[in-house]
Amino acid sequence: MIATNLQVAGGGEWPALAHALADGPDPTLPVLVNLGVRPGLDALVQRCRRFAESCEGGEGLVVGILTPAADAGTLDDELAAAGAWAFTRHAALAWAPRRIRLNMIGCGIGLPADTDPVALGRSAARLDAEPVGIDDVVRTVRAIAGWPSMTGQFIRLGGA
């Protein structure tokens, strides 16, 4: 069954993820999944805004998925990942009264600890952990969709 309330957009880091997410029960709320931060932050923000406008009068969920490819180490990649996380946090606060939730999943990357003065200001770093699979991401997206008050969070999954 292909979900009718699900949109998957963005980078092609995990082409099978869109199919895995869509091959399940139809989500009860509209869901937009952004794979990576390419082609750029402006495109990501505009896609999210269009999605939020389409949810007028009802709730919706946006989940951004960052993978190690989005943290390749170039300045552009770092800025894109930091911008996507900043947008997620700010839009989550701004759109919460409209019941539009935004969260981010880091697959193999995570945010530096707030208590680490050397890491402050960095967007994300690779994690040392078991690799994450598509099934892990699908279960996490479905769990977030089932938690009606979760917004503005960065969930770390697996390693590189």
Side-chain angles (χ1 to χ4, degrees):
M1 172 179 163
I2 300 299
T4 57
N5 282 342
L6 173 71
Q7 299 175 43
V8 180
E13 289 123 354
W14 288 16
L17 181 60
H19 181 70
L21 281 168
D23 190 24
D26 198 16
T28 58
L29 76 159
V31 177
L32 169 63
V33 176
N34 290 303
L35 297 174
V37 294
R38 295 294 179 202
L41 183 59
D42 289 338
L44 175 82
V45 170
Q46 291 306 316
R47 184 169 49 242
C48 291
R49 285 185 174 153
R50 283 191 305 271
F51 175 79
E53 289 169 4
S54 75
C55 296
E56 199 62 42
E59 63 183 314
L61 172 65
V62 176
V63 179
I65 299 178
L66 294 178
T67 64
D71 187 35
T74 69
L75 179 59
D76 287 342
D77 288 335
E78 289 287 327
L79 289 173
W85 173 232
F87 171 73
T88 297
R89 286 189 338 247
H90 290 282
L93 289 172
W95 295 351
R98 296 173 47 202
R99 297 186 337 224
I100 308 290
R101 299 180 291 125
L102 291 88
N103 294 285
M104 186 165 280
I105 298 172
C107 299
I109 62 175
L111 299 174
D114 289 342
T115 57
D116 182 359
V118 176
L120 291 178
R122 290 183 14 213
S123 62
R126 293 183 185 272
L127 298 174
D128 292 327
E130 291 295 317
V132 63
I134 290 175
D135 290 341
D136 298 316
V137 177
V138 169
R139 281 192 300 271
T140 304
V141 170
R142 289 187 178 145
I144 293 170
W147 299 327
S149 61
M150 182 176 167
T151 191
Q153 300 302 308
F154 189 110
I155 298 174
R156 302 174 192 190
L157 289 181

